[in-house]
């Protein structure tokens, strides 16, 4: 019911003002750009690493205890960039002094309509945080159907949609089968990135 793509955010006075300039700079200065995230192995770290692999650049990583301190680290110049949700950096982006170069979703965000997606910029990569409802595998089919129908009604309600909009959450609806396929695709993507990072136990 929710998907919030990662957003690549830098200071407005950085030596790159577009995604392509960021990539070019990283190619010319491998490992010089440090990206702060909400922690090693978290969704924003995996998004950063997946993006770097997709465009063929080397980025440094600094893990913080949450997106807020990672954003603060960009503001202070401790790191050069951050990947987190658009909602988490919006106050600093909409009023400055940060700018979001691109986000990793499929469509532009209402919160940042001028920010392009990676897909628009020529990189076929999407990743972000998502939320859904699940039950144990042995839950009876009629109970699954009941819960699905009940939650679909909640999802479509004006109150729910308004709550999500007011709080900057992205909404997306995936029914039972579609959500299962999405979870498997996500699992495969995460597995590859985690293995590449050497984080697998």
């Amino acid at each position: 019911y929710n998907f919030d793509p990662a957003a690549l955010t830098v200071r407005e006075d950085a030596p790159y003002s577009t995604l392509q300039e960021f990539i070019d700079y990283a190619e010319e200065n491998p490992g010089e750009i440090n990206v702060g995230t909400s922690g090693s192995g978290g969704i924003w770290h995996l998004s950063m690493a997946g993006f770097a692999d997709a465009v063929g650049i080397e980025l440094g990583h600094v893990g913080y205890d949450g997106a807020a301190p990672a954003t603060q680290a960009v503001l202070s110049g401790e790191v050069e960039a951050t990947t987190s949700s658009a909602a988490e950096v919006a106050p600093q982006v909409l009023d400055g002094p940060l700018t979001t170069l691109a986000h990793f979703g499929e469509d532009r965000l209402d919160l940042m309509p001028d920010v392009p997606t990676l897909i628009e910029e020529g990189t076929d990569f999407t990743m972000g945080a998502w939320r859904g409802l699940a039950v144990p595998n042995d839950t009876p089919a009629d109970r699954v159907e009941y819960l699905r129908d009940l939650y679909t009604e909640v999802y479509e309600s004006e109150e729910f949609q308004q709550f999500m909009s007011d709080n900057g959450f992205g909404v997306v609806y995936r029914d039972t089968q579609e959500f299962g396929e999405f979870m498997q695709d996500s699992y495969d993507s995460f597995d590859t990135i985690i293995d590449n990072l050497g984080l697998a136990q």
Side-chain angles (χ1 to χ4, degrees):
Y1 66 89
N2 162 249
F3 179 77
D4 291 316
L8 178 64
T9 302
V10 301
R11 288 180 58 90
E12 286 183 333
D13 59 2
Y16 25 76
S17 58
T18 67
L19 179 67
Q20 189 56 56
E21 289 177 356
F22 179 92
I23 293 171
D24 291 343
Y25 187 95
E27 287 176 341
E28 296 168 5
N29 305 274
E32 185 176 312
I33 297 176
N34 288 307
V35 181
T37 73
S38 56
S40 180
I43 185 59
W44 305 133
H45 179 204
L46 300 185
S47 297
M48 179 218 82
F51 158 68
D53 183 64
V55 298
I57 59 176
E58 179 184 339
L59 299 172
H61 174 251
V62 181
Y64 292 90
D65 188 21
T71 301
Q72 183 58 44
V74 182
L75 288 166
S76 69
E78 188 173 318
V79 296
E80 285 71 41
T82 186
T83 47
S84 64
S85 73
E88 289 171 308
V89 295
Q92 290 79 20
V93 170
L94 299 178
D95 298 328
L98 301 185
T99 183
T100 297
L101 301 180
H103 73 78
F104 303 178
E106 294 182 353
D107 302 300
R108 292 207 179 197
L109 303 173
D110 291 340
L111 185 62
M112 296 180 178
D114 296 329
V115 175
T117 67
L118 290 183
I119 295 173
E120 288 181 75
E121 295 294 300
T123 299
D124 187 14
F125 178 79
T126 59
M127 187 165 283
W130 48 265
R131 297 171 178 86
L133 300 177
V135 295
N137 285 332
D138 59 357
T139 303
D142 62 338
R143 182 57 51 178
V144 172
E145 184 176 357
Y146 171 79
L147 291 171
R148 182 200 64 204
D149 291 347
L150 181 65
Y151 194 75
T152 300
E153 183 179 340
V154 172
Y155 176 88
E156 293 174 349
S157 71
E158 183 178 341
E159 292 86 354
F160 179 82
Q161 293 292 324
Q162 191 64 52
F163 171 84
M164 297 296 278
S165 176
D166 289 346
N167 289 280
F169 291 117
V171 292
V172 59
Y173 181 80
R174 293 185 173 93
D175 208 341
T176 307
Q177 180 176 345
E178 187 181 5
F179 185 43
E181 294 169 353
F182 173 77
M183 287 180 67
Q184 185 60 54
D185 289 343
S186 296
Y187 178 86
D188 293 340
S189 297
F190 295 155
D191 184 59
T192 300
I193 297 171
I194 288 170
D195 187 57
N196 290 342
L197 289 171
L199 295 176
Q201 296 296 323

